[in-house]
Amino acid sequence: PKLEAIVHFAALKAVGESVEIPLDYYYNNLVSSINLLRAMIDYNIPNMVFSSSATVYGLPDKLPVTEDSPTKKANSPYGNTKQIIEEIIFDTINVNSNFKAISLRYFNPIGAHKTALIGELPQGVPLNLVPYVTQTAIGIRDHLRIFGNDYNTPDGTGVRDYINVVDLSRAHVDAIKRLLDNKSKSNYEIFNLGTGKGLSVMEIVKSFEKATGQKIKYKIYPRRPGDIDIVYADTSYSNRELGWKSEIPLEETLLSAWNWEKNIRKKS
Ligand code: UD1
């Protein structure tokens, strides 16, 4: 059977690491994308769904962030690769009139599959909030480090838009269908994937405790360089055009992250 669409997920994605080894990030993320696009042209596979990131918006001027908000200079080589790949896809589509693509800009994906069989196992010390929380709960980390409580947010801790990873994956199916059903409004489209709701670090900690019954020890640390106060998605365009909406409640998502953590640490 003929391949009709490609979902392009593959990339290196650790922000801090990308600062340390920029050439590895540029080489891996950009060259693989170029090779994939070339192969799609050679084999006439006309549709692509691309994993992009809300990091392309940088420090937004307006909240919530809509898809037509300007992209800002990336603050890491990782973020820069996402911006450049979006541009490479756009330029490629421009000269290949039967090609279409959708970039999905992920906000903060969290959680695991509810079976606890599929999830993310970060290497080394987790950089992202929720894996650090689950590793603290299970005793791998002594306490959660909350990076800053003097942000311009209701409780002073940073605010993000946390989207369940299963909800997120569903959007890819919707995007493929949109491409195959020729529903796209233009050959290159962008959709935000978030819940539309901003939550603070403290709210995540409290919801995790409520959902799992686990107490999280935490200490306040200085701000982490590069972090911004607050960012969350305007999801109205995704809801309306893609017909996609985040559905899984936060506590269920945090419980899935906890069940995944417990499952991978189980002694066999
Ligand atoms: C990061 C990446 C982003 C990536 C996203 C999802 C940066 C600048 N951005 O976003 O490109 O798409 O992850 O993987 O790194 N926090 C703590 N303690 C911790 C960890 C995090 O307080 O141990 C706080 C942070 O300060 C922030 C929030 O929790 O306010 C979320 O942090 P994190 O999960 O790392 O995601 P982002 O930095 O938003």
Side-chain angles (χ1 to χ4, degrees):
K2 187 177 159 0
L3 283 179
E4 291 182 285
I6 301 271
V7 185
H8 179 24
F9 291 111
L12 296 173
K13 68 161 200 73
V15 176
E17 185 183 63
S18 78
V19 177
E20 304 294 323
I21 48 170
L23 289 179
D24 290 12
Y25 269 69
Y26 285 114
Y27 187 83
N28 182 72
N29 292 2
L30 300 185
V31 174
S32 61
S33 301
I34 293 167
N35 287 341
L36 183 58
L37 284 162
R38 282 199 202 279
M40 289 174 70
I41 293 168
D42 289 348
Y43 291 91
N44 196 25
I45 305 163
N47 298 300
M48 174 184 266
V49 177
F50 173 59
S51 304
S52 189
S53 169
T55 193
V56 303
Y57 297 120
L59 181 65
D61 303 323
K62 260 192 344 219
L63 288 168
V65 185
T66 57
E67 286 83 350
D68 50 23
S69 305
T71 59
K72 298 283 179 63
K73 184 174 165 24
N75 62 5
S76 72
Y78 158 74
N80 207 13
T81 66
K82 291 292 172 187
Q83 284 188 2
I84 297 170
I85 296 164
E86 281 202 16
E87 286 166 7
I88 292 173
I89 295 170
F90 181 82
D91 291 342
T92 305
I93 282 171
N94 246 340
V95 289
N96 290 275
S97 56
N98 60 330
F99 270 58
K100 295 194 303 273
I102 292 179
S103 283
L104 299 175
R105 291 180 175 166
Y106 306 173
F107 279 68
N108 288 56
I110 60 166
H113 193 258
K114 63 178 181 215
T115 58
L117 296 172
I118 313 171
E120 186 192 15
L121 177 56
Q123 292 169 356
V125 181
L127 299 169
N128 294 126
L129 176 63
V130 171
Y132 208 102
V133 167
T134 58
Q135 289 197 8
T136 304
I138 209 149
I140 298 173
R141 312 282 156 208
D142 176 67
H143 60 273
L144 171 69
R145 302 168 299 172
I146 295 186
F147 297 133
N149 66 351
D150 57 353
Y151 281 108
N152 186 18
T153 61
D155 66 20
T157 63
V159 167
R160 299 289 183 273
D161 187 335
Y162 296 94
I163 175 73
N164 179 289
V165 72
V166 176
D167 277 339
L168 186 93
S169 62
R170 214 166 21 80
H172 297 72
V173 180
D174 295 330
I176 295 168
K177 284 190 183 140
R178 183 176 176 85
L179 291 167
L180 296 187
D181 295 346
N182 284 314
K183 296 250 176 72
S184 302
K185 291 217 161 125
S186 67
N187 287 352
Y188 179 68
E189 291 186 309
I190 295 165
F191 293 102
N192 283 343
L193 299 185
T195 63
K197 193 171 151 44
L199 292 170
S200 73
V201 175
M202 209 45 122
E203 285 175 304
I204 291 288
V205 170
K206 294 295 156 211
S207 301
F208 183 85
E209 290 182 337
K210 188 150 173 262
T212 65
Q214 300 293 314
K215 207 87 202 111
I216 297 297
K217 200 167 125 195
Y218 63 82
K219 292 182 187 161
I220 306 299
Y221 280 67
R223 292 181 178 201
R224 185 173 65 175
D227 275 355
I228 58 178
D229 300 55
I230 174 163
V231 60
Y232 58 96
D234 185 323
T235 57
S236 49
Y237 188 67
S238 303
N239 297 165
R240 193 174 69 242
E241 273 300 314
L242 200 55
W244 172 88
K245 204 169 176 332
S246 109
E247 284 170 1
I248 303 171
L250 177 69
E251 284 188 19
E252 198 175 318
T253 303
L254 293 172
L255 184 61
S256 74
W258 174 230
N259 286 336
W260 160 251
E261 184 71 55
K262 283 192 296 185
N263 195 35
I264 52 178
R265 307 297 168 189
K266 226 167 34 200
K267 304 267 179 301
S268 52

